[in-house]
Amino acid sequence: MTDVEIYKSIEPQVESLIDSNDSVLTNLSNFTALLNQNFEKISWVGFYITKNDKLVLGPFQGKVACTKIEFGKGVCGTSAENRETIIVEDVHKFPGHIACDAGSNSEIVLPIVVDDKVWGVLDLDSYEFSSFNETDKIYLEKFCETLANKLNLSEFKVI
Ligand code: SME
């Protein structure tokens, strides 16, 4: 299957899986699992959530990861600070990239803005180079919008 076919096939699942009757933690956890189990190219997928001007590790699938990232640092911190999606074809060429897993070679990070504040970011990594492109950006931004619209994300407290 192409990536577009995979995204189209999981789109209805995202809609039905994300349920405001379940907790934000439950929803975010299942959302990362859904992406992880459908894309072989993903080595790590998860959320970093804003707390006291830092990004703190949230629900994820994959190897152990760094727990805190400063705004402006790494791909996640840069995406959060600039409020823009960043696609990195080769992480070794990204100044200040934070290597939680030395095997990671490319990534995409999407900011999630709630009430005009950066609530957090969605981060996807891959062991392959140039794994992510505009297709991922379009669908993942749509999924993040669904999360932000259906869930009360601000109620999720990172301790
Ligand atoms: N790659 C990220 C760090 C988080 S880990 O990849 C899970 C970055 O440079 O922001």
Side-chain angles (χ1 to χ4, degrees), residues 30-151:
N30 254 345
F31 177 74
T32 60
L34 183 70
L35 289 175
N36 194 46
Q37 75 193 32
N38 278 281
F39 285 99
E40 268 182 38
K41 68 180 182 180
I42 293 176
S43 60
W44 194 95
V45 49
F47 293 94
Y48 278 92
I49 300 164
T50 307
K51 162 101 177 173
N52 296 339
D53 297 328
K54 281 195 179 72
L55 294 166
V56 177
L57 182 62
F60 71 95
Q61 300 270 311
K63 287 190 186 172
V64 166
C66 16
T67 55
K68 290 187 193 72
I69 298 174
E70 306 258 351
F71 266 58
K73 295 279 158 68
V75 187
C76 291
T78 306
S79 169
E81 187 156 275
N82 299 341
R83 298 184 175 208
E84 66 184 15
T85 296
I86 303 180
I87 295 170
V88 185
E89 297 196 7
D90 179 351
V91 295
H92 311 286
K93 292 186 179 150
F94 190 95
H97 169 254
I98 300 160
C100 296
D101 177 351
S104 175
N105 282 318
S106 64
E107 71 177 281
I108 181 169
V109 179
L110 305 96
I112 301 173
V113 178
V114 176
D115 297 334
D116 202 36
K117 290 191 192 89
V118 180
W119 171 84
V121 300
L122 174 65
D123 178 13
L124 285 83
D125 298 332
S126 177
Y127 288 156
E128 296 151 37
F129 288 96
S130 307
S131 265
F132 305 103
N133 55 39
E134 279 300 304
T135 298
D136 302 278
K137 180 178 188 290
I138 289 166
Y139 281 94
L140 294 171
E141 282 181 352
K142 218 194 251 190
F143 293 168
C144 287
E145 253 180 67
T146 302
L147 293 174
N149 289 337
K150 287 182 105 173
L151 304 175

